Amino acid sequence: MKKYNFNAGPSILPREVIEKTAQQILDFNGSGLSLAEISHRAKDFQPVVDEAVALIKELLQVPEGYSVIFLGGGASLEFCMVPYNFLIKKAAYLNTGTWAKKAMKEAKLFGEVVEVASSADANYTFIPKGWTCPDDVDYLHITTNNTIYGTEIRKDLDVNARLIADMSSDIFSRPIDVAKYDCIYGGAQKNLAMAGVTLVILKDDVLGKAPRPIPTMLDYRTHVEKGSMFNTPPVVPIYSALETLRWLKANGGVEAMDKLAQKRAEIVYGEIDRNKLFRGTVTDEADRSLMNICFVMNDEYKELEKPFLEFATSKGMVGIKGHRSVGGFRASCYNAQTIEGVEALVACMKEFEAKA
Ligand SMILES: *Cc1c(COP(=O)(O)O)cnc(C)c1O
């Protein structure tokens, strides 16, 4: 039976990315050695990093004066590296979910943290609006897509502060205006690559301002200066990122991904809103994530939750169980998610409704 992968992360990648990476693991560029066996400094691997960085700059139209680096440690390490490197006195954080909260917790180790707004009291079912950011902050940190709660800030905010964004789960799904950000980061395993690598885009002239000694590995300058080769980088995940970036370019880039994301979301949210069994969990429709679509069973059908999960699983749906902090269901629709995949999910929802 065909499987439709709705996992939240690690998650669906284009099939050809998996296949091409697998081939290189068996025989890297015809060398007779595996990608996993060569030195990261091998003359063959440098072009992988160079091409990946060039494609990121091209696809996101990264302006002059920015560096693109690959790190280990996941987005979670960036929660600490960001304030370590950028928090001088005071930073602002928009609290839109679990990941935002974790980022804020780390920042408090380094200086004053202002929570500009929070939807924690409403279990993060919306993105707070109408807040203001103090004028004197070093940066405002946002999480553009809240993977767990299914809300998204799908635009580049106009605010009176430099932006730093955790884009782990929606990067490369729409065009972004990189110039508004001092730093953009993301764990690769949602929309870019196999798990194990983090992408960081940095504005060069904000580096080196923090008034504290920074351990070498946690200092962004180390990795910028060494072109992500200060120590052994995660070569296989980086290679898979390169294949995803090539796939992205061949498939119309971030504009095409944006259109596809809108189309997938229309199909799934359309069915959630139509189907008598289900409702979306996000209270302001404008905040609905195009990447992680969260929904629950309406109260009068609550006891059908498990049966629906079993039914959908029997039809090949994988990973649609909601995160424990939201319950219900979550259909993650990253770039590699096909229209066929979301139509198969919708067909399940319709068929189950007819039987209910
Ligand atoms: C998954 C996720 C993280 C955590 O990423 P790791 O790479 O596992 O540390 C952080 N932020 C967001 C928005 C995520 O979706």
Side-chain angles (χ1 to χ4, degrees):
M1 182 184 37
K2 178 149 190 192
K3 300 278 184 174
Y4 295 99
N5 184 356
F6 291 95
N7 280 328
S11 39
I12 188 167
L13 286 169
R15 191 67 207 170
E16 65 180 82
V17 169
I18 312 262
E19 281 167 2
K20 287 182 172 165
T21 305
Q23 278 163 19
Q24 299 288 357
I25 289 175
L26 293 173
D27 182 6
F28 183 62
N29 287 348
S31 64
L33 297 178
S34 164
L35 170 62
E37 297 176 310
I38 58 162
S39 162
H40 58 290
R41 305 195 190 279
K43 63 177 187 329
D44 288 325
F45 192 69
Q46 188 64 49
V48 170
V49 175
D50 293 345
E51 186 185 343
V53 168
L55 279 170
I56 290 164
K57 289 186 170 172
E58 181 184 338
L59 289 162
L60 295 179
Q61 295 186 22
V62 177
E64 286 291 303
Y66 282 79
S67 296
V68 173
I69 54 175
F70 294 110
L71 301 178
S76 299
L77 184 60
E78 300 315 301
F79 297 164
C80 125
M81 282 180 76
V82 160
Y84 224 142
N85 284 263
F86 298 127
L87 206 171
I88 299 169
K89 261 206 157 111
K90 191 176 359 175
Y93 279 70
L94 180 62
N95 182 4
T96 54
T98 306
W99 300 118
K101 209 172 134 191
K102 288 188 172 175
M104 211 157 49
K105 176 172 178 250
E106 299 306 300
K108 286 177 183 161
L109 299 171
F110 299 93
E112 187 185 343
V113 171
V114 180
E115 183 183 75
V116 292
S118 167
S119 48
D121 288 348
N123 201 32
Y124 299 117
T125 44
F126 63 92
I127 303 279
K129 321 267 176 346
W131 43 269
T132 53
C133 179
D135 281 323
D136 58 346
V137 294
D138 301 313
Y139 61 82
L140 166 66
H141 181 281
I142 59 172
T143 312
T144 51
N145 184 65
N146 299 285
T147 322
I148 293 175
Y149 298 93
T151 60
E152 188 175 14
I153 304 171
R154 212 174 162 79
K155 56 179 183 267
D156 304 302
L157 296 180
D158 286 305
V159 281
N160 56 327
R162 298 295 304 163
L163 286 168
I164 292 187
D166 175 358
M167 295 197 183
S168 293
S169 53
D170 64 352
I171 197 161
F172 297 112
S173 78
R174 66 172 178 95
I176 48 179
D177 182 359
V178 175
K180 284 188 175 171
Y181 300 84
D182 280 353
C183 172
I184 293 169
Y185 65 88
Q189 68 275 18
K190 311 276 165 57
N191 221 356
L192 178 64
M194 295 175 186
V197 66
T198 315
L199 169 63
V200 185
I201 303 172
L202 292 162
K203 190 163 199 277
D204 295 326
D205 67 14
V206 292
L207 294 171
K209 303 246 165 79
R212 62 180 69 86
I214 306 177
T216 312
M217 272 297 282
L218 300 182
D219 190 331
Y220 285 125
R221 286 172 299 181
T222 305
H223 305 283
V224 168
E225 280 159 20
K226 298 288 182 189
S228 306
M229 294 285 200
F230 172 71
N231 69 325
T232 317
V235 291
V236 173
I238 291 175
Y239 186 84
S240 70
L242 171 61
E243 287 296 356
T244 305
L245 293 159
R246 286 175 175 165
W247 175 88
L248 274 168
K249 186 174 171 178
N251 284 278
V254 289
E255 284 83 8
M257 293 303 127
D258 192 17
K259 288 207 185 82
L260 191 59
Q262 308 274 358
K263 196 167 167 205
R264 282 189 308 252
E266 263 170 48
I267 293 171
V268 183
Y269 284 119
E271 178 60 14
I272 292 169
D273 293 341
R274 186 209 63 76
N275 193 308
K276 70 173 191 284
L277 303 181
F278 304 101
R279 67 179 162 80
T281 55
V282 175
T283 48
D284 186 344
E285 277 191 29
D287 301 335
R288 284 176 158 184
S289 169
L290 304 196
M291 300 286 105
N292 309 97
I293 300 181
C294 294
F295 55 107
V296 291
M297 226 96 202
N298 272 321
D299 293 342
E300 59 268 46
Y301 299 106
K302 268 276 175 279
E303 77 283 1
L304 294 179
E305 203 163 285
K306 202 160 161 260
F308 176 69
L309 197 60
E310 283 163 5
F311 176 75
T313 306
S314 78
K315 298 277 180 185
M317 306 304 128
V318 175
I320 63 161
K321 190 170 169 32
H323 189 277
R324 62 189 177 282
S325 36
V326 180
F329 311 100
R330 170 172 56 173
S332 294
C333 296
Y334 299 117
N335 284 339
Q337 190 62 262
T338 57
I339 296 295
E340 185 199 337
V342 293
E343 282 177 342
L345 174 63
V346 163
C348 278
M349 294 164 77
K350 285 192 199 310
E351 204 180 326
F352 193 79
E353 181 193 31
K355 297 197 309 169

